[in-house]
Amino acid sequence: GAVVSQHPSRVICKSGTSVKIECRSLDFQATTMFWYRQFPKKSLMLMATSNEGSKATYEQGVEKDKFLINHASLTLSTLTVTSAHPEDSSFYICSAREDTYGELFFGEGSRLTVL
Amino acid sequence: SQQGEEDPQALSIQEGENATMNCSYKTSINNLQWYRQNSGRGLVHLILIRSNEREKHSGRLRVTLDTSKKSSSLLITASRAADTASYFCATDALNQGGKLIFGQGTELSVKP
């Protein structure tokens, strides 16, 4: 299957700083990418849908100014957690698909710890 | 909105036994998918069942879908210790642009 790469896999930062997480589709062009957040022993919560070249669509309750999503190319989407706080500590997972109803491929996730 | 309820939340069985996990959802769907997640890792796609399908098999996995009851089940036969993981159903709802909404998951523990 296709490969989606996330970087970094783990990041620790101080409260108040911003952190950028990258999601890359390695062997296909991803018209759509999705960002999820997962708390320990909980399910994945969809944060936003990212389409190449347009603004991300955020799910209800997700602060778009807090979680900045950029999908500047067909192989890269980034999630920036701005002014991070301890409650933003979580596992963030991206997924990508080549076309609207194609199979969704998931990255390995990025664990963010905010001190 | 997020949707999908799974039961049981946790399931502990012995190797060789079968494991059944259930998933219920709320809206009409294009398809329903099952994923596996090992602790702290990404998701592994197991199987996709379309709304016009009722049953699907893949190796030791059997998935059923009942759209009238808006429910699905995942059966793992002859379980192995390596099957220990969390299992999630995810729905691709109609007119939602292909986004997947995940259920709460079942934590399966298979004891050797």
Side-chain angles (χ1 to χ4, degrees), chain B residues 75-95:
Chain B
L75 168 68
I76 303 175
T77 59
S79 64
R80 305 166 182 167
D83 293 329
T84 295
S86 292
Y87 291 82
F88 296 94
C89 69
T91 51
D92 178 349
L94 286 177
N95 304 316

Side-chain angles (χ1 to χ4, degrees), chain B residues 8-23:
Chain B
Q9 290 188 343
L11 179 61
S12 182
I13 58 175
Q14 294 293 131
E15 243 183 349
E17 294 180 339
N18 295 341
T20 299
M21 289 159 267
N22 302 296
C23 167

Side-chain angles (χ1 to χ4, degrees), chain A residues 36 38 43-44 59 97 108, chain B residues 37 41 43 98-100 103:
Chain A
Y36 291 85
Q38 186 179 33
S43 185
L44 283 78
E59 295 297 304
R97 57 158 43 108
E108 280 292 305
Chain B
Q37 183 183 36
R41 302 295 301 276
L43 290 150
K99 61 185 179 184
L100 286 184

